[in-house]
Amino acid sequence: MSDPVREAREQLIRVGLTGPYGANDVVPDLIVRSWRRSLSNAVVSTAPPQRYQDVDTDSLLCRAAVPVLDRWQHQLADTETTLFLSDRGGSIVARRTSDSKERRRLDGVHAAEGFDYSEDAIGTNGLGTSMVERRPVFVKGSQHYSDALAVNACAAAPVYSPSGLVLGSVALAGPSEAANPIMLSLTREISQQIEERFRASSRPEDLALAMSFMRFSSSRRPTVVMDHESILANTPGLPYVSVASHVMLWELLNSYDWSSSSTLRRELEGTPLEVTARRVVDGPREHYVVHFSELNDASDRQPGLALPARAQGMGTEATAPGRQAAAVQLVDGPRGSGRSTAARELRTKQGRSGPLEVAVVSAEDATPWTAIDRLLAGGTDVLLRRLEEITEVDAVHLATLVEGHRKARTAGQRASSLLLTSSRDQAVTAVQALIDTIGPAQHTEALALTPERIPGLVKAILNVVDPESRHTISPAALQSMVQWNWPGDIAELADTVSGLVSQVTGSVIERRHLPKHVQQAPPRRHMNLIETAERGAIIRALDAAGGNKSEAAALLGIGRNTLYRKLRHLGLDAGEGSI
């Protein structure tokens, strides 16, 4: 027997997104829209979901939803239906079914905890499509984009936070022949019960943040409302939101002297943007409302924050590809400050993408000066690291290499570049003189002096040590990283991030996972002597009490509420939750 819905879907796949297509009222418009998105995302329609990752079953969403799912599982027993809960990324985080046969069938199509049922992973389905459409949906049989799901019927509804953000979705699914439109009404009811539990369990400070945000949610002006744990953005404000931008904005806002002015206006370095911020002190905890706007011609703006978010690319000027690179380029700075990375970035900005050979000067090994010169003559770029290790004797070889390469480039005999890294203060006198002659193209600083680099470095390190993107960093954890002074510089940061990736089993690296000394890093704002002494005393009391705040308060001779207030003020509040 022919299936007109399946035929309509296969016709769309055949003609593609640009070909002539008409479903002839066989398929609802909502399903056709979803099919088109599925086709655009190159979803494979012939296989069950393949993406899998460990999920956080202790998230705020799960805590609110699990009692509701357990109660409805009991009420829906013997109905051949299964309850699913997904997070906002589309991964199934909970499944409830009382039928062992149905459980085995669902396992066969990977409809189980950990598998990705987002629309861009598996195509049209209840869990994923309801979040994209932001409304309840009913997907039956061949309306599913994946053939593996064509025997199912699924009613699903998104779950919203008090501020109107989609937290995930809940679905009621079963065999297609047992489908009933009442499933959609039940799913709406289950979703509303989860939202009510989430609202009731929300902290007062979270609700205060949500109430502030509701005033700007429909504004056309890019706006975010944030405290040190959370950030909410309206639609125009989404391009400016990331974990990194949240952390750096918080550092800026928290270090500002609000007694001098009730409004902060500051341009974002490297962008045509400025922020206008004000502090909201009503409610249990202060938070901030931040507006973004195009930078005008006013000259009295304070330069300050460079956003490490998507907005940073707006208006920044990079060296045009193909521009002639200098024959010799030197990056100077303390060891461990990212000199090598900066040298590679200089090379990339000048459009050079050919082979790059790296040589490291060492006191134990002879530097291969002849081999380096031969590589440069053959057209290969060379990065020579750690000039501060060169002796007075070898300084002559370095000077000869630099001078010879420059002359060959000027004469048109070579097209390669020589990149150098150094720490002038640690170099011998002859090398210092040569560094001064060359003139550094860029200076790098220790991480303690350039904390704005830390979010970008953490992301770059994660890309290397976690190529499957199984982990993300919570804002609170990243904030502690920004506050720590990293005496071991980038090597210490890389070792810390690598260790966290190997040790943390969940998908979110939170502040509690960080090494203790990083968790307890003081805020970068200046603290007076009393604050410094209080902070040290609180840390010692918490250690003595094994982290128990009530016992720590008793040891300090203060009330528990006073301790909580001081923990927030002194940057020791490690409370955070993942949604």
Side-chain angles (χ1 to χ4, degrees):
M1 183 176 179
S2 64
D3 182 345
V5 175
R6 178 186 292 270
E7 291 172 358
R9 189 204 63 186
E10 291 177 348
Q11 180 191 356
L12 176 61
I13 294 175
R14 281 196 307 273
V15 302
L17 294 174
T18 59
Y21 176 75
N24 298 324
D25 298 326
V26 172
V27 186
D29 290 342
L30 180 149
I31 299 298
V32 175
R33 286 199 304 272
S34 178
W35 283 355
R36 289 185 176 277
R37 291 192 297 267
S38 305
L39 186 60
S40 176
N41 290 325
V43 174
V44 178
S45 64
T46 56
Q50 301 299 317
R51 297 184 194 171
Y52 175 86
Q53 64 177 4
D54 293 331
V55 293
D56 184 5
T57 57
D58 192 37
S59 67
L60 298 179
L61 174 62
C62 285
R63 293 178 205 171
V66 163
V68 177
L69 299 180
D70 290 343
R71 184 169 64 250
W72 277 95
Q73 179 187 4
H74 176 72
Q75 296 181 23
L76 294 170
D78 303 322
T79 63
E80 293 187 276
T81 55
T82 300
L83 277 167
F84 293 95
L85 177 72
S86 83
D87 61 20
R88 57 186 168 190
S91 294
I92 296 175
V93 294
R95 183 182 73 177
R96 296 290 186 273
T97 183
S98 302
D99 189 316
S100 58
K101 180 180 178 181
E102 183 68 6
R103 189 180 299 112
R104 289 192 298 271
R105 186 183 72 83
L106 293 171
D107 287 344
V109 293
H110 297 172
E113 288 91 342
F115 283 98
D116 187 348
Y117 265 70
S118 61
E119 197 181 69
D120 64 349
I122 191 61
T124 307
N125 75 95
L127 288 170
T129 302
S130 64
M131 287 192 287
V132 176
E133 292 284 339
R134 298 179 66 88
R135 57 181 285 190
V137 300
F138 187 75
V139 184
K140 180 180 178 181
S142 300
Q143 291 178 350
H144 289 90
Y145 192 77
S146 171
D147 293 332
L149 304 179
V151 296
N152 297 329
C154 179
V159 178
Y160 291 97
S161 73
S163 63
L165 299 176
V166 175
L167 302 176
S169 59
V170 63
L172 190 60
S176 183
E177 60 271 14
N180 191 312
I182 199 174
M183 292 168 63
L184 195 60
S185 298
L186 291 176
T187 304
R188 287 195 189 98
E189 176 65 24
I190 296 169
S191 172
Q192 291 169 3
Q193 290 181 12
I194 295 172
E195 291 170 357
E196 181 57 37
R197 276 189 53 85
F198 191 90
R199 189 178 300 108
S201 63
S202 295
R203 300 170 301 174
E205 54 264 36
D206 294 330
L207 293 177
L209 198 70
M211 293 301 294
S212 288
F213 174 72
M214 291 302 290
R215 296 176 53 198
F216 303 99
S217 59
S218 59
S219 172
R220 294 183 179 181
R221 187 180 185 185
T223 303
V224 301
V225 179
M226 58 179 287
D227 60 16
H228 84 282
E229 291 181 1
S230 306
I231 184 166
L232 306 175
N234 62 4
T235 301
L238 288 175
Y240 311 103
V241 173
S242 72
V243 171
S245 62
H246 178 197
V247 169
M248 298 314 298
L249 275 171
W250 175 256
E251 287 295 311
L252 170 69
L253 299 172
N254 197 42
S255 62
Y256 181 67
D257 181 8
W258 290 97
S259 63
S260 63
S261 174
S262 60
T263 301
L264 166 66
R265 300 187 72 178
R266 183 162 298 182
E267 71 178 65
L268 305 182
E269 289 181 356
T271 77
L273 302 169
E274 69 175 5
V275 294
T276 304
R278 64 179 179 84
R279 184 173 60 163
V280 180
V281 294
D282 298 335
R285 186 168 65 196
E286 67 181 25
H287 57 273
Y288 301 93
V289 177
V290 183
H291 304 288
F292 297 87
S293 58
E294 291 292 327
L295 190 62
N296 58 29
D297 295 330
S299 59
D300 58 349
R301 302 289 181 252
Q302 292 176 280
L305 172 71
L307 263 191
R310 281 169 286 178
Q312 188 173 4
M314 299 173 63
T316 56
E317 291 187 9
T319 304
R323 174 182 170 183
Q324 181 70 14
V328 180
Q329 295 188 81
L330 184 141
V331 177
D332 188 71
R335 184 175 294 185
S337 60
R339 300 175 302 181
S340 178
T341 300
R344 293 172 187 270
E345 289 175 351
L346 281 174
R347 179 175 179 266
T348 300
K349 285 181 179 179
Q350 292 178 331
R352 303 189 66 84
S353 58
L356 175 68
E357 290 291 332
V358 179
V360 182
V361 177
S362 170
E364 289 77 26
D365 302 314
T367 305
W369 301 106
T370 302
I372 292 173
D373 190 60
R374 189 181 299 118
L375 286 167
L376 291 168
T380 298
D381 291 352
V382 175
L383 169 59
L384 181 60
R385 299 174 55 196
R386 300 183 183 175
L387 298 192
E388 64 271 14
E389 296 288 338
I390 293 177
T391 64
E392 290 281 359
V393 175
D394 265 6
V396 176
H397 295 296
L398 175 62
T400 301
L401 176 71
V402 170
E403 184 62 21
H405 181 61
R406 276 180 164 169
K407 286 182 177 179
R409 275 285 298 268
T410 301
Q413 298 168 355
R414 294 183 181 180
S416 55
S417 290
L418 174 61
L419 306 169
L420 307 170
T421 69
S422 66
S423 177
R424 185 189 182 283
D425 294 341
Q426 296 178 323
V428 299
T429 303
V431 174
Q432 286 184 347
L434 184 60
I435 291 171
D436 293 339
T437 300
I438 296 172
Q442 185 172 332
H443 287 278
T444 59
E445 298 285 355
L447 283 184
L449 300 177
T450 53
E452 67 276 2
R453 298 165 57 203
I454 292 174
L457 288 169
V458 169
K459 181 179 179 181
I461 295 166
L462 278 175
N463 289 340
V464 174
V465 300
D466 184 24
E468 296 179 353
S469 300
R470 297 179 65 249
H471 293 83
T472 57
I473 303 283
S474 78
L478 190 58
Q479 187 142 21
S480 288
M481 289 182 170
V482 170
Q483 291 171 350
W484 178 240
N485 61 9
W486 301 104
D489 276 301
I490 293 177
E492 180 188 355
L493 178 63
D495 288 344
T496 300
V497 174
S498 299
L500 291 168
V501 168
S502 62
Q503 295 163 13
V504 176
T505 56
S507 60
V508 180
I509 297 173
E510 299 181 356
R511 179 182 282 167
R512 60 188 174 88
H513 297 130
L514 301 178
K516 200 167 190 178
H517 62 275
V518 181
Q519 289 185 44
Q520 297 174 347
R524 287 191 174 270
R525 66 177 178 84
H526 177 71
M527 292 192 296
N528 60 39
L529 292 177
I530 293 177
E531 289 176 324
T532 302
E534 282 187 334
R535 196 174 192 281
I538 289 173
I539 289 174
R540 290 192 294 275
L542 287 169
D543 285 343
N548 186 299
K549 292 183 177 65
S550 296
E551 292 182 18
L555 289 173
L556 292 164
I558 60 178
R560 188 172 61 177
N561 289 339
T562 301
L563 176 60
Y564 283 134
R565 177 174 54 80
K566 289 183 177 294
L567 288 172
R568 289 194 296 270
H569 178 67
L570 298 172
L572 291 171
D573 182 8
E576 62 185 324
S578 61
I579 296 177

